[in-house]
Amino acid sequence: MVFRKPPDGGWGWVIVVVSFFTQFLCYGSPLAVGVLYLEWLDAFGEGKGKTAWVGSLANGIGLLASPVCSVCVSSFGARPVAIFSGFMVAGGLMMSSFAPNIYFLYISYGIVVGLGCGLLYTATVTITCHYFDKRRGLALGLISTGSSVGLFIYAALQRELIDLYGLDGCLLIVGALSLNILACGSLMRPLESSYSPPPEKTCVDKVPDQYFVYHEKEKTVEENISILEKGYVDEKCANNMPDYKQDSILNKNVLSSINVNEKDTYKKKVVEQTNFCKQLAKRKWQLYLNYWEETVVLFKNKVFAALFVAILLFDIGVFPPSLLMEDVARSANINEDDYRMPLISIIGIMTAVGKLTLGTLADFEWVNTLYLYVTTLLMTGVALFAIPFAKSYLTLAMLSGILGFLTGNWSIFPYVTTKTVGIEKLTHAYGILMFFAGLGNSLGPPIVGWFYDWTQEYDTAFYFSGFCVLLGGFLLLLAALPCWNACTNQSSKLPPNTYSYKVASSA
């Protein structure tokens, strides 16, 4: 498939709008799962660590399956994947309303909804990168705000729906809303050139006629027998001399001769078919080996290797607040009358502001996106260390806003990845990085919940979270700093879509 040059506009803005609403609809409930988390604690009576697995799986399983999601989008395209995933998200949410225990939620809400969200995220990011080049940072920032706006609205919406219709009714209504993803997915038109060559034949179409052994063999034998029998009947009628014994001997000799020839032909064609299957398997194995060779080449890039460690540690540390902040406030004995707005909603709206702001900054030539991303990691670590000292709603609200703004760095993460490995390897590299991000998302909330079950307070858990994020930020900074200084004078020689730290990182 041949793609046109990214138009940086036109239908691309439609892609931005539908991708925004896709992320809004699919990520609204999983990111605002903290509201549901409190209801599940009361409904099933399980520990905080055990219950936290539901939300962590919903937000992590899709990222863990990112390599598979990338293959699906590459193979089938963004539009079919988005439509199929819309059914998954809606079905998983509706099934969760009938959950008899926490283990059922692991499957319905954690795996089904989470995998659907992962497919939708990969589809929206990939197709947006195809439509935008110079304005890619802005476009990615706009679509990624969809999940943040969804978090802001769904936090209040789910709380209101629970008060009106109960937990089960809330999940049914939210699942029905998710069906609008199908309409969004149908508008994700692929960016193809009008003169692209016709699609190649499938492997079955490419198989020569001589490999269809059984049908040809059966047909040939039947035709030969039919011709021989017809000729013999004509001869018998002409001579009018019936001799049944002679007829039997003649038939046996003819059929024996045919069977010998057919057996040789059959064996020959079986050998040809076997060789064809071996060649096909060899090609598939070679593609598999090429994938792992490309993966090894990616990890030889020092910045990419540090980036995957940083995203793993970042998600272990930064995701728990969005899931557990409401429970943190309840554990700190903060009066509910002091609540002006749910803390999760504050995180959501500030994440949207952060994504837009950071995405816009990434488009300026004088801004080094890698350093911008490292800065957000270090500041996030400091904010996490401050959470144990917050004992009032106002302080928690301020920290929630700061954390929300800084986690808006998700909008520039695809931008950093693209600049590090190039647009050609974006799908492969991004799938690997999202796998480790999903691992962090899956492990972070249960670890924090287990810390609470063990110590009966959240202080130690958030010290651990802050340490993880700071460690990842410093590792990424160390990987980038030396090569950036060494290659400043060579930046003019590099390709226009590549940062100079990429060259140094692979040295």
Side-chain angles (χ1 to χ4, degrees):
M1 183 180 293
V2 181
F3 292 100
R4 293 197 305 265
K5 181 180 178 182
D8 278 304
W11 191 260
W13 294 119
V14 177
I15 297 295
V16 169
V17 172
V18 298
S19 297
F20 171 90
F21 280 106
T22 297
Q23 294 202 16
F24 171 86
L25 293 167
C26 74
Y27 275 108
S29 180
L31 288 178
V33 73
V35 176
L36 304 176
Y37 172 76
L38 297 177
E39 300 296 324
W40 288 329
L41 281 175
D42 297 335
F44 300 114
E46 301 287 352
K48 295 181 185 294
K50 197 171 183 179
T51 307
W53 271 111
V54 180
S56 63
L57 283 174
N59 288 275
I61 198 70
L63 299 177
L64 282 171
S66 285
V68 177
C69 298
S70 300
V71 171
C72 291
V73 174
S74 300
S75 301
F76 304 107
R79 179 188 287 170
V81 169
I83 294 173
F84 174 77
S85 303
F87 282 112
M88 289 187 64
V89 173
L93 289 169
M94 292 179 182
M95 285 194 300
S96 299
S97 65
F98 303 101
N101 51 55
I102 199 72
Y103 302 103
F104 187 91
L105 287 172
Y106 289 165
I107 304 296
S108 61
Y109 198 97
I111 296 179
V112 177
V113 175
L115 187 57
C117 290
L119 287 167
L120 288 166
Y121 182 80
T122 305
T124 53
V125 168
T126 301
I127 197 169
T128 302
C129 288
H130 285 163
Y131 270 87
F132 289 90
D133 183 18
K134 294 180 181 179
R135 298 177 178 176
R136 185 175 294 148
L138 175 61
L140 290 172
L142 287 172
I143 69 168
S144 61
T145 56
S147 58
S148 305
V149 174
L151 170 58
F152 171 72
I153 293 178
Y154 271 71
L157 175 63
Q158 290 186 146
R159 177 174 289 181
E160 187 67 22
L161 289 175
I162 289 172
D163 292 339
L164 293 175
Y165 305 106
L167 178 60
D168 297 342
C170 169
L171 290 170
L172 282 173
I173 294 172
V174 171
L177 288 174
S178 300
L179 289 173
N180 290 286
I181 296 172
L182 307 182
C184 296
S186 65
L187 296 174
M188 293 182 183
R189 187 174 67 194
L191 183 64
E192 300 177 23
S193 63
S194 57
Y195 53 86
S196 59
E200 294 185 0
K201 291 183 178 181
T202 61
C203 294
V204 176
D205 295 332
K206 291 181 179 179
V207 177
D209 294 338
Q210 69 226 30
Y211 294 129
F212 294 100
V213 178
Y214 302 101
H215 177 70
E216 182 181 347
K217 175 180 180 295
E218 182 181 355
K219 182 178 178 182
T220 304
V221 173
E222 289 178 353
E223 288 179 351
N224 289 339
I225 293 175
S226 177
I227 293 171
L228 289 169
E229 287 180 347
K230 182 179 179 182
Y232 175 70
V233 169
D234 293 342
E235 182 181 355
K236 176 183 173 185
C237 293
N239 296 333
N240 196 19
M241 293 174 60
D243 188 351
Y244 299 106
K245 186 174 182 181
Q246 184 177 359
D247 293 347
S248 178
I249 294 172
L250 178 60
N251 282 334
K252 287 182 179 178
N253 291 336
V254 171
L255 292 175
S256 176
S257 176
I258 292 174
N259 288 334
V260 171
N261 293 333
E262 288 301 327
K263 284 181 180 178
D264 293 339
T265 305
Y266 175 74
K267 289 180 180 179
K268 182 179 179 181
K269 292 180 178 179
V270 167
V271 171
E272 291 177 352
Q273 188 184 37
T274 303
N275 291 334
F276 171 77
C277 293
K278 287 181 178 179
Q279 292 296 326
L280 184 62
K282 186 177 180 180
R283 285 196 295 269
K284 293 294 184 181
W285 178 251
Q286 189 61 43
L287 291 174
Y288 179 77
L289 291 179
N290 290 341
Y291 176 85
W292 286 107
E293 287 176 1
E294 292 176 2
T295 303
V296 172
V297 171
L298 285 174
F299 277 96
K300 288 182 180 179
N301 185 325
K302 293 179 182 178
V303 175
F304 179 82
L307 198 59
F308 102 88
V309 175
I311 193 65
L312 171 65
L313 295 176
F314 175 77
D315 278 272
I316 288 177
V318 82
F319 181 63
S322 63
L323 176 61
L324 304 172
M325 191 62 80
E326 297 291 333
D327 194 49
V328 170
R330 188 167 72 173
S331 301
N333 297 321
I334 295 176
N335 192 348
E336 293 185 2
D337 296 335
D338 296 336
Y339 276 55
R340 303 292 186 271
M341 182 185 297
L343 295 175
I344 297 178
S345 294
I346 296 174
I347 293 176
I349 194 63
M350 290 306 297
T351 301
V353 173
K355 286 178 177 178
L356 282 174
T357 304
L358 296 174
T360 303
L361 285 175
D363 284 331
F364 289 104
E365 294 182 358
W366 51 270
V367 173
N368 183 286
T369 316
L370 179 65
Y371 282 153
L372 179 62
Y373 184 74
V374 170
T375 302
T376 61
L377 295 184
L378 299 178
M379 294 178 67
T380 300
V382 174
L384 288 171
F385 270 110
I387 289 179
F389 300 97
K391 302 300 180 183
S392 66
Y393 172 80
L394 179 61
T395 311
L396 284 175
M398 292 175 60
L399 288 175
S400 297
I402 293 171
L403 286 171
F405 181 86
L406 294 173
T407 52
N409 62 8
W410 271 106
S411 66
I412 62 173
F413 187 72
Y415 200 90
V416 172
T417 306
T418 304
K419 291 294 184 179
T420 303
V421 301
I423 188 64
E424 299 82 6
K425 297 180 180 179
L426 172 64
T427 303
H428 185 182
Y430 201 71
I432 294 172
L433 292 173
M434 289 301 99
F435 173 84
F436 288 100
L439 187 62
N441 269 353
S442 299
L443 295 177
I447 289 175
V448 172
W450 288 330
F451 269 117
Y452 183 90
D453 292 337
W454 177 39
T455 62
Q456 295 302 307
E457 45 89 14
Y458 280 113
D459 295 357
T460 306
F462 283 106
Y463 290 146
F464 171 79
S465 298
F467 172 77
C468 288
V469 176
L470 285 175
L471 178 61
F474 279 120
L475 287 176
L476 185 56
L477 183 62
L478 290 175
L481 271 176
C483 49
W484 175 260
N485 294 331
C487 297
T488 300
N489 298 328
Q490 302 178 9
S491 59
S492 60
K493 301 179 182 179
L494 298 175
N497 66 333
T498 308
Y499 279 146
S500 58
Y501 58 74
K502 179 184 174 183
V503 174
S505 63
S506 57

